[in-house]
Amino acid sequence: MAVLSNHPVNRDQAKVMNRYDITKRLVGLLHADEAVIGGIGYTNFDLWAASESASGRRQQNFYMLGSMGLAVPIAMGVAIAQPRRKVFALEGDGSVLMQLGSLSTVAARKQTNLCVVIMDNGAYQITGGQKTATGEGADIVGIARASGLEQSAWAADEDAFVELVARSLKEDGPWLIGCRIDTAKPVDTTERDPARIRDNFMKGLGVRA
Amino acid sequence: MADKDSWPEALYDLLRANGVTQFCYVPDAGHKVLIDRSLADPDVHSIPLTTEEEGVAMVAGADLGGDRAVLLMQSSGVGNCINMLSLTAGCRFPLLTIVSMRGEFGEGNPWQFPMGQAVEPVFKAMGVIVLRAEQPSDVIPCVTAAITMAYQSGQQVAVLLTQRLIGAKKF
């Protein structure tokens, strides 16, 4: 896709960034309306941490503490139900490798209000840093494009990440943004009450009183 | 009252009358009418999945966004959903799934038996309530009950369209 030509074509050319730092940048670009589904692992721990501010914690986030791999289809269910809202799925490389079919499901539906952000450090970090296939040559952005998600790109660096997120907020998707990230420890740990996580999110979206 | 041949049409009408707008499925012959009607209906979203656990997540996402969804699958797909049902149970998501059965009454394919026979114990082990529709006159009462249990009481409910109801396949 020509409009994404200033972004690196493959994973090797993308800068390794800090997970918390770019999650903070993402949250900083969001308004109250966008929904975010945080996949299992450090991805959602840092989403939890980045969503805390002086005015309280961002409520339109859903955090997965299990059921690995399903952030994208959960986000799609929300996106279909809430067509005027942008919905983000944050997912790790190990998780998305488990459900690659979900990328083609999103592409087939041309879900315009959905943006998938992949945090790729090439490792199942929370279980001890064992390698995933992305460290051995699997390229998630390449897989996404081949699945039909044409608007998929690696974030070359932090500025490019911000530019891509800003575009995804303004323009129709579906989008997929690949981020190479480091193996830093997450800044905080997500609270562990699944029913409360659901309840908070629904209240944040205004679909439940 | 739905007769021998018209229950699939009545079932679609029942789901629509109860506000179901997201139909997620891995195709099966037993769900052909529901799938075709959802594809032809401009007021619903008809979503083919690559695997059944994707549907467990989509049903949860639909609820998060304020929609009602149904997951349609064959009995073999139930096994794919097991771990994902932790999401449903833990967050207390309503779940309505309609499962067309293989591996039971009159089955001629030996490969279908292990999962077909495991459907009920596996669902029950994960906290999903199972209702069985054995004949055409069972379908609408079972799904009506399941709709109330799922959307009003927040339960996870599977309605099995048994092989006695839909007939054993030749393949």
Side-chain angles (χ1 to χ4, degrees):
Chain A
M1 172 155 263
V3 290
L4 295 175
S5 60
N6 58 332
H7 296 280
V9 180
N10 63 50
R11 185 179 185 274
D12 291 340
Q13 295 165 285
K15 178 185 171 187
V16 175
M17 302 179 284
N18 174 257
R19 188 194 319 101
Y20 176 74
D21 176 66
I22 60 167
T23 307
K24 193 86 188 160
R25 289 170 195 254
L26 167 68
V27 172
L29 289 167
L30 303 181
H31 313 286
D33 292 341
E34 297 85 5
V36 185
I37 310 299
I40 188 173
Y42 289 167
T43 303
N44 94 55
F45 286 15
D46 269 337
L47 173 65
W48 173 262
S51 297
E52 172 86 89
S53 72
S55 56
R57 192 179 297 280
R58 183 173 207 282
Q59 212 179 343
Q60 299 81 4
N61 295 351
F62 183 81
Y63 303 91
M64 295 178 69
L65 302 170
S67 304
M68 184 167 172
L70 293 184
V72 174
I74 292 176
M76 182 130 111
V78 176
I80 293 170
Q82 296 276 320
R84 280 178 292 280
R85 209 182 277 276
K86 279 277 184 199
V87 182
F88 286 80
L90 304 193
E91 193 66 296
D93 51 315
S95 290
V96 76
L97 284 168
M98 213 178 246
Q99 291 290 340
L100 290 175
S102 67
L103 300 180
S104 52
T105 302
V106 171
R109 267 196 65 81
K110 302 179 174 59
Q111 192 65 41
T112 55
N113 59 333
L114 186 59
C115 178
V116 179
V117 177
I118 302 297
M119 302 288 188
D120 179 359
N121 60 8
Y124 298 101
Q125 197 187 346
I126 202 166
T127 57
Q130 301 86 351
K131 278 186 181 180
T132 70
T134 63
E136 304 288 344
D139 185 309
I140 297 297
V141 170
I143 291 168
R145 286 186 180 156
S147 301
L149 291 172
E150 290 176 19
Q151 296 179 149
S152 300
W154 284 104
D157 55 21
E158 289 83 355
D159 289 344
F161 176 71
V162 167
E163 179 202 325
L164 285 165
V165 172
R167 280 195 60 184
S168 77
L169 284 167
K170 280 200 306 253
E171 300 174 27
D172 278 351
W175 296 89
L176 183 138
I177 305 171
C179 301
R180 289 200 66 186
I181 54 147
D182 58 18
T183 55
K185 288 277 182 205
V187 169
D188 199 356
T189 306
T190 308
E191 74 167 22
R192 305 224 159 200
D193 182 342
R196 203 165 103 165
I197 289 169
R198 167 175 174 250
D199 198 49
N200 269 337
F201 179 88
M202 293 178 81
K203 284 177 178 157
L205 260 60
V207 299
R208 166 181 277 208
Chain B
M1 177 55 72
D3 64 19
K4 184 175 179 303
D5 300 317
S6 68
W7 66 261
E9 301 283 351
L11 176 53
Y12 186 79
D13 294 339
L14 175 69
L15 292 167
R16 289 295 292 119
N18 282 278
V20 175
T21 54
Q22 294 193 25
F23 288 75
C24 313
Y25 50 86
V26 174
D28 185 41
H31 293 308
K32 187 174 188 312
V33 170
L34 291 184
I35 292 169
D36 288 348
R37 294 257 334 247
S38 72
L39 284 166
D41 187 340
D43 297 324
V44 307
H45 303 278
S46 182
I47 305 132
L49 309 163
T50 58
T51 177
E52 292 81 359
E53 63 264 40
E54 230 184 301
V56 175
M58 286 211 52
V59 168
D63 176 70
L64 285 174
D67 269 4
R68 288 181 173 183
V70 63
L71 171 58
L72 311 176
M73 61 181 157
Q74 189 187 95
S75 48
S76 45
V78 173
N80 292 345
C81 295
I82 300 170
N83 180 44
M84 306 311 166
L85 292 167
S86 307
L87 166 79
T88 314
C91 295
R92 289 192 247 127
F93 282 112
L95 173 70
L96 174 62
T97 180
I98 302 176
V99 181
S100 56
M101 292 299 294
R102 301 283 315 255
E104 47 165 38
F105 194 85
E107 177 64 59
N109 179 352
W111 209 296
Q112 291 287 349
F113 280 96
M115 192 63 237
Q117 289 298 306
V119 163
E120 285 196 51
V122 158
F123 266 144
K124 287 176 180 169
M126 292 307 290
V128 178
I129 298 165
V130 177
L131 305 177
R132 291 179 65 90
E134 299 278 2
Q135 49 192 339
S137 61
D138 288 344
V139 175
I140 297 304
C142 279
V143 177
T144 301
I147 285 169
T148 304
M149 293 156 80
Y151 300 129
Q152 188 173 316
S153 300
Q155 300 299 301
Q156 297 88 46
V157 190
V159 177
L160 309 188
L161 305 178
T162 64
Q163 248 172 320
R164 192 157 205 171
L165 169 73
I166 57 178
K169 283 184 188 166
K170 300 286 184 276
F171 56 89

